[in-house]
Amino acid sequence: MRWRRAIHFGRRSKYGNVRVVLDGIRFDSKWERDYYQQLKAREAAGEIRGLQRQVKFDLRVNSVLVCRYVSDFTYEEREAGDTLCGHDWHWKYVVADCKSASTRLEPGYRLKRKLLRALRGIDILEVLRSKRSSGAGLKRARRVGPEVERLRR
């Protein structure tokens, strides 16, 4: 796959990310582009299906739009299941977001993450990167859910 650095005019971004283009698709960071390549390889191998980028979730309370969350990636991941249906696996819906240590602590993101869990029952898979790798490697992926929130308190 070919990629090139996007022409960037104006001031530097808040967190120092560099927007890039891969096969005509624009990404907000090199890290997001690298994770997309990993997901495309997993999709080709049959581990995931239905990969989508920038899916919008309207977060409404009493039919009033409170905010909108835009995920980096959504897909279905093969997961071990019960054998009652004759299958050894089933597909699980995943919402993934590429984050650094500083962006995952933003108050706006934290509020949207909690609203998405409360209103839709969806936990976000935060794909974190290490500062040393500068977006080149996957440090860890963790699911943020109620059990993690309890441990933090």
Side-chain angles (χ1 to χ4, degrees), residues 89-102:
W89 48 266
H90 65 278
W91 295 99
K92 181 179 178 182
Y93 187 69
V94 177
V95 175
D97 215 343
C98 296
K99 292 290 176 194
S100 67
S102 55

Side-chain angles (χ1 to χ4, degrees), residues 102-118:
S102 55
T103 57
R104 68 180 292 270
L105 297 176
E106 280 186 341
Y109 167 72
R110 292 177 64 188
L111 176 65
K112 289 177 182 184
R113 182 183 73 200
K114 290 175 184 178
L115 280 171
L116 190 64
R117 184 185 323 128

Side-chain angles (χ1 to χ4, degrees), residues 7-109:
I7 298 172
H8 195 306
F9 296 102
R11 64 181 202 158
R12 184 174 174 238
S13 71
K14 184 175 179 181
Y15 294 104
N17 59 316
V18 177
R19 294 181 186 223
V20 292
V21 175
L22 171 72
D23 295 334
I25 303 170
R26 193 175 121 203
F27 294 93
D28 289 336
S29 67
K30 293 177 186 177
W31 170 234
E32 189 176 328
R33 176 205 60 204
D34 294 344
Y35 190 62
Y36 176 74
Q37 289 176 316
Q38 292 176 15
L39 290 176
K40 288 300 279 184
R42 289 182 65 197
E43 187 175 41
E47 296 174 18
I48 65 171
R49 69 178 184 187
L51 176 62
Q52 293 181 332
R53 292 187 60 247
Q54 305 295 315
V55 176
K56 295 175 179 71
F57 295 92
D58 288 341
L59 302 174
R60 297 177 183 273
V61 177
N62 296 331
S63 69
V64 175
L65 180 65
V66 175
C67 60
R68 179 174 287 141
Y69 171 73
V70 181
S71 68
D72 288 340
F73 305 103
T74 61
Y75 55 90
E76 290 181 319
E77 185 173 38
R78 188 181 293 195
E79 188 177 73
D82 53 8
T83 55
L84 294 176
C85 304
H87 298 291
D88 293 333
W89 48 266
H90 65 278
W91 295 99
K92 181 179 178 182
Y93 187 69
V94 177
V95 175
D97 215 343
C98 296
K99 292 290 176 194
S100 67
S102 55
T103 57
R104 68 180 292 270
L105 297 176
E106 280 186 341
Y109 167 72

